[in-house]
Amino acid sequence: MNIESIIAQMTLEEKAALCAGATAWTTTPVEPLGVPAIFVSDGPHGVRRVPDANALAGSSLPATCFPTASCLASTWNVDLIREMGQALGDECIALNVDVLLGPGANIKRTPVCGRNFEYYSEDPYLSGEMAVSLIDGIQSKGVGTSLKHFAANNQEFKRLSISAEVDERTLREIYLPAFETAVKKAQPWTVMCAYNKLNGTYCSEHHELLVDILKNEWGFEGLVVSDWGAVHDRVAALKGGLDLEMPGPQERRVKAVVEAVRTGNLDEALLNESVRRILRIVFKASQTPKGGKFDAAAHHALARAIAAEGIVLLKNDGTLPLKNGQRIAVIGRAAKEPHFQGGGSSHINPTQIDIPFDQLRRVAGETELTYAEGYAVDNSSQQSLIDEAVVAARAAQVALLYVALPTFKESEGYDRADLDLTAQQVNLIKAVTQVQPKTVVILNNGSALAMSEWLGGTAAVIEAWMMGQAGGGAIADVLFGKVNPSGKLAETFPLKLAHTPAFTSYPGENGQAHYGEGIFVGYRYYDAKEIPVLFPFGYGLSYTTFAYSNPAVSASTFKDVDGLTVQVDVTNTGAMAGKEVVQVYVHDHKSNLVRPPKELKGFAKIELQPGETKTVAIHLDWRAFAYYHPAYQQWVTENGGFDILIGASSADIRCTKTVTLQSTQERPSILNRESTPREWLDDPRGKRVFEPLLENLLAQMATLFGSGESEDGAMGMDAMSMVMDMPLRDLLQFRESALPAPADEIIDGLLVQVHGHAR
Ligand code: BGC
């Protein structure tokens, strides 16, 4: 297909029309030139294909509802997620969908974000790897994806208007890397811009974000699509790099674009660039023949396997795995009315649903099961339901308490007010655990919950997330040990909401949310502030145990460009086969800008039979050691020591290796008029020109402030410590009368020697 020749033949009206949808879910065809329309659908954990392209919502065609992103990330299993992507690709083909709107790669800045269930993690590295796998899987089938919501869409409250106020370093290190990794490694066909503003500019018009960073710096080849209704000024959005506006039709806006080109307000070359990007995707999509059937049974089985692997065993006193033949009281509505997906645009019409209670009966064999509802659908306070549950729990040997956070508390479109279950649910757990010490709580929710109020009384707790349509079976598999749990938390569970990093700045005010916690998001924050948590990032129990031994690194001193390979032996020291997630964190001994105590930079999931040992090798490239320096406007590596922390969670580091990095970066100097003597000496070029002046300067300062050698110099202070961190210019000004020239001139002279010009 010769796209350039098509563009040359297109009228201005056709070009403008192509840049907006024709319907809620289709692009605009250009029939005379043989340009077809493509069909897009939500996403991300299933295909929400509405039969009528003009209907935004409404009942969609049956499709497999896989577990949502929180559960996927907790698997830490990139191969499994890729497999799920392939299944999604097959379903898109069968349901006539060209592009699936997902995955979501936004960071869980605060656990209260109502849409956290659709996002992977508080950690950018893990989020990025998950997104890559899902995209790779889907796109391997010739179906496109839409990486969303770009960027800093971290709350639902005022999501259409709030301005996320994020400093450059935080953006680069926390909120962008998952997108960056996904774009560079997997090239999603489309990227969806977020509704919100970023630092005052709508993401739909954000040139720096969409053009400078996404398209130019990262080399994104696909098209940028708006979130549904995120465009306000179509011409400004085109200029900002937004190629396709959805949903359609948008006749007025199409006319505005035509008008803008005619009046010279919009360069047609710019419009052509968006047309080019859209055509490339339209023709790519049309190469994949659509139709046919997908294997619903196989996909249901896959959904079950994924759910089982994403389930996190949070607590276990030995009650789990359950033994056949025990009398079990099953309590809680969620056992019969499973809460397996979240509310909003990702809502799937499942092909079938595994009812947890029925699945339990199948897996449990001869076991006697009773049932009590425990809480009503509206979660109103009803003591009679609690009383009933208590009677059932007392009569049994084990109580299984299925508790789902209701949709009125958590969904797309609004945030949570707290981290709690409902009052009825908490009272239910407390009452049941009082009479039945062997109570296992099974949770369905999308993000961290506070549990301190009731955790102590339980025997075991299972975080089953929004587990997809086959989750009921997955829970039974884990409870009875048919599957050994291996999920690990992709987000910290704090002790309480007030401990969370964004607590004082969420949800923002006057239209702005200041990301005041900066790079200290999730475990980066709890680690740095030494705040105890309920369950740490990376944590999850197993029915077996793993020992780590023989840690090794490929070199104790290494060049940044070469990276480093980390290796460790892991042995299954228990009696049951199981899977372990080996996590590698990096700790920088010393850096010029503050860094979190540790950051996840690699992981691997392995399966081990009892007694078996495997060697895990994980490669860390230079970026694993770098941080983003706003003054250089680039990722920097600095010489010096790093600890390589190999662990079973962020709080359970099993082995440490210390290495030395040699930076090969040649960075420009960032010395300026306000740089201090210490900074001049730290800068190789600065040092050369400044050192000859140093001795004289220090002598003068000693005269001025007293000697730095004793703590009680003339002014009762260590003057030299102060002097080393004062701007050199100011220091010179104190002695200006003794200088041959004004301080500013001397500084500028030095700066010219360093930069070739003053700064
Ligand atoms: C959501 C997107 C979704 C789109 C289409 C928006 O409200 O934010 O994630 O893809 O609707 O349903």
Side-chain angles (χ1 to χ4, degrees):
M1 197 52 59
N2 190 337
I3 286 175
E4 292 312 315
S5 107
I6 293 179
I7 296 175
Q9 295 172 64
M10 283 172 82
T11 64
L12 178 55
E13 286 74 10
E14 285 168 339
K15 291 178 187 173
L18 183 72
C19 293
T23 69
W25 306 107
T26 56
T27 59
T28 305
V30 193
E31 271 146 20
L33 298 174
V35 179
I38 60 172
F39 203 110
V40 304
S41 281
D42 284 310
H45 46 264
V47 187
R48 186 171 69 91
R49 170 59 153 95
V50 287
D52 174 7
N54 291 302
L56 265 177
S59 153
S60 53
L61 302 174
T64 308
C65 180
F66 287 95
T68 78
S70 316
C71 181
L72 303 182
S74 304
T75 69
W76 298 62
N77 187 335
V78 289
D79 298 330
L80 200 55
I81 305 310
R82 185 171 291 108
E83 222 182 297
M84 166 172 156
Q86 290 163 351
L88 286 172
D90 285 340
E91 297 201 13
C92 284
I93 290 172
L95 298 170
N96 272 300
V97 169
D98 296 289
V99 174
L100 189 71
L101 302 176
N106 295 103
I107 292 297
K108 300 189 191 197
R109 174 181 178 236
T110 165
V112 298
C113 172
R115 213 173 176 183
N116 273 0
F117 70 90
E118 263 191 76
Y119 300 138
Y120 294 118
S121 176
E122 67 189 23
D123 180 82
Y125 180 79
L126 180 57
S127 301
E129 294 305 311
M130 288 290 139
V132 166
S133 294
L134 197 79
I135 294 168
D136 269 352
I138 297 172
Q139 294 193 171
S140 71
K141 297 285 180 174
V143 172
T145 57
S146 196
L147 180 64
K148 65 191 188 182
H149 309 88
F150 192 56
N153 180 179
N154 309 104
Q155 63 188 54
E156 291 299 279
F157 179 73
K158 296 203 171 172
R159 67 170 163 158
L160 279 83
S161 60
I162 198 91
S163 179
E165 299 288 315
V166 196
D167 69 81
E168 191 184 351
R169 182 175 175 209
T170 300
L171 200 58
R172 291 292 192 155
E173 290 192 22
I174 303 293
Y175 297 100
L176 294 188
F179 290 94
E180 178 182 3
T181 305
V183 165
K184 287 182 173 170
K185 284 200 190 170
Q187 279 291 348
W189 291 11
T190 82
V191 167
M192 186 188 294
C193 81
Y195 281 127
N196 51 283
K197 300 185 193 104
L198 173 62
N199 296 326
T201 304
Y202 281 114
C203 289
S204 61
E205 300 174 9
H206 211 296
H207 192 275
E208 189 191 349
L209 197 59
L210 305 182
V211 178
D212 298 343
I213 296 178
L214 175 66
K215 293 180 179 175
N216 293 344
E217 194 185 314
W218 297 346
F220 173 60
E221 293 162 9
L223 67 86
V224 177
V225 59
S226 70
D227 199 341
W228 266 231
V231 172
H232 303 278
D233 177 334
R234 185 62 186 108
V235 175
L238 270 167
K239 288 181 181 172
L242 188 288
D243 304 304
L244 173 63
E245 175 180 7
M246 290 300 282
Q250 297 287 355
E251 276 153 37
R252 273 200 203 106
R253 300 208 182 175
V254 169
K255 279 194 189 125
V257 171
V258 170
E259 193 60 23
V261 174
R262 294 233 161 92
T263 57
N265 181 25
L266 178 69
D267 186 352
E268 190 164 352
L270 224 137
L271 180 63
N272 286 347
E273 174 55 14
S274 285
V275 167
R276 186 173 294 119
R277 284 179 180 267
I278 296 169
L279 288 178
R280 276 206 299 255
I281 297 304
V282 166
F283 285 116
K284 204 171 185 172
S286 61
Q287 277 166 24
T288 306
K290 304 290 181 322
K293 280 203 163 105
F294 63 87
D295 188 342
H299 291 184
H300 186 76
L302 177 62
R304 180 172 180 151
I306 298 170
E309 200 154 326
I311 284 175
V312 182
L313 179 60
L314 294 175
K315 177 180 174 182
N316 186 16
D317 69 353
T319 299
L320 297 181
L322 297 172
K323 288 135 210 96
N324 284 357
Q326 286 169 310
R327 262 176 296 121
I328 297 180
V330 179
I331 299 166
R333 275 189 73 78
K336 292 221 168 158
E337 299 286 337
H339 181 55
F340 58 91
Q341 62 175 328
S345 58
S346 67
H347 210 81
I348 302 303
N349 176 13
T351 57
Q352 67 180 93
I353 301 169
D354 278 358
I355 305 300
F357 185 86
D358 300 346
Q359 294 300 319
L360 212 51
R361 174 152 281 152
R362 282 193 178 186
V363 176
E366 292 308 298
T367 301
E368 183 191 323
L369 301 180
T370 58
Y371 174 73
E373 187 184 353
Y375 60 94
V377 64
D378 64 356
N379 265 275
S380 52
S381 159
Q382 292 191 38
Q383 188 57 39
S384 59
L385 292 180
I386 295 180
D387 294 343
E388 224 175 84
V390 165
V391 170
R394 198 180 269 132
Q397 289 166 302
V398 175
L400 300 180
L401 207 37
Y402 287 76
V403 180
L405 194 65
T407 300
F408 66 75
K409 285 206 110 181
E410 180 184 33
S411 166
E412 178 182 347
Y414 43 89
D415 290 335
R416 283 192 286 166
D418 51 54
L419 299 183
D420 303 326
L421 294 170
T422 66
Q424 170 79 8
Q425 291 170 335
V426 170
N427 291 336
L428 174 70
I429 300 176
K430 283 182 174 168
V432 168
T433 50
Q434 280 235 314
V435 299
Q436 181 47 267
K438 284 194 180 304
T439 296
V440 180
V441 175
I442 298 119
L443 297 164
N444 292 120
N445 50 285
S447 196
L449 288 172
M451 302 179 194
S452 304
E453 219 185 326
W454 51 262
L455 183 68
T458 62
V461 178
I462 281 181
E463 176 54 81
W465 308 113
M466 294 178 186
M467 59 209 177
Q469 65 180 44
I475 292 173
D477 291 341
V478 168
L479 287 173
F480 278 92
K482 294 225 171 328
V483 170
N484 188 348
S486 64
K488 299 223 184 186
L489 293 179
E491 59 193 284
T492 308
F493 277 39
L495 282 168
K496 53 176 165 178
L497 182 57
H499 285 180
T500 58
F503 182 67
T504 53
S505 54
Y506 167 86
E509 51 200 8
N510 300 320
Q512 296 184 327
H514 287 271
Y515 286 30
E517 69 287 353
I519 56 174
F520 294 95
V521 172
Y523 65 91
R524 289 164 168 79
Y525 177 83
Y526 302 108
D527 278 359
K529 299 203 72 169
E530 298 181 356
I531 296 175
V533 300
L534 186 64
F535 298 114
F537 176 82
Y539 165 88
L541 301 173
S542 165
Y543 296 148
T544 187
T545 46
F546 300 99
Y548 289 57
S549 59
N550 300 324
V553 284
S554 51
S556 56
T557 298
F558 69 104
K559 290 199 175 68
D560 50 6
V561 284
D562 296 334
L564 190 74
T565 300
V566 182
Q567 199 174 295
V568 70
D569 290 347
V570 183
T571 306
N572 183 343
T573 47
M576 195 189 242
K579 293 184 182 177
E580 171 69 327
V581 179
V582 178
Q583 302 160 41
V584 176
Y585 298 84
V586 168
H587 161 73
D588 192 350
H589 290 181
K590 189 170 166 291
S591 54
N592 278 318
L593 300 188
V594 63
R595 298 190 72 176
K598 67 166 109 58
E599 296 184 277
L600 179 76
K601 297 298 174 183
F603 63 87
K605 188 158 195 177
I606 46 162
E607 182 164 16
L608 293 166
Q609 298 305 313
E612 193 187 4
T613 299
K614 274 186 187 158
T615 302
V616 177
I618 293 171
H619 185 73
L620 307 177
D621 68 10
W622 70 276
R623 269 288 287 273
F625 303 91
Y627 66 88
Y628 189 86
H629 199 310
Y632 293 108
Q633 297 200 305
Q634 71 174 71
W635 290 87
V636 301
T637 51
E638 289 174 347
N639 291 331
F642 286 83
D643 287 336
I644 308 297
L645 311 167
I646 307 170
S649 89
S650 66
D652 182 10
I653 301 304
R654 303 287 183 88
C655 319
T656 302
K657 296 296 280 184
T658 298
V659 292
T660 305
L661 178 139
Q662 292 174 337
S663 177
T664 58
Q665 286 186 337
E666 285 215 19
R667 291 193 296 274
S669 168
I670 51 168
L671 291 171
N672 60 37
R673 282 181 160 190
E674 290 179 347
S675 299
T676 65
R678 201 185 301 280
E679 287 161 351
W680 277 89
L681 292 174
D682 273 350
D683 183 288
R685 266 157 295 193
K687 189 173 176 182
R688 243 173 282 137
V689 298
F690 174 61
E691 218 163 27
L693 311 179
L694 182 65
E695 204 176 311
N696 185 20
L697 181 79
L698 293 182
Q700 300 228 13
M701 290 304 129
T703 328
L704 201 61
F705 297 114
S707 160
E709 265 144 44
S710 76
E711 284 230 350
D712 51 354
M715 290 168 71
M717 66 192 295
D718 178 7
M720 278 311 125
S721 290
M722 175 178 77
V723 161
M724 290 304 283
D725 291 318
M726 277 173 71
L728 183 56
R729 177 176 65 172
D730 296 67
L731 285 174
L732 294 174
Q733 266 168 10
F734 280 112
R735 300 291 292 166
E736 201 160 54
S737 55
L739 297 176
D744 277 355
E745 260 178 45
I746 295 180
I747 286 290
D748 287 351
L750 295 176
L751 288 170
V752 168
Q753 290 182 57
V754 171
H755 300 301
H757 55 81
R759 275 200 171 188

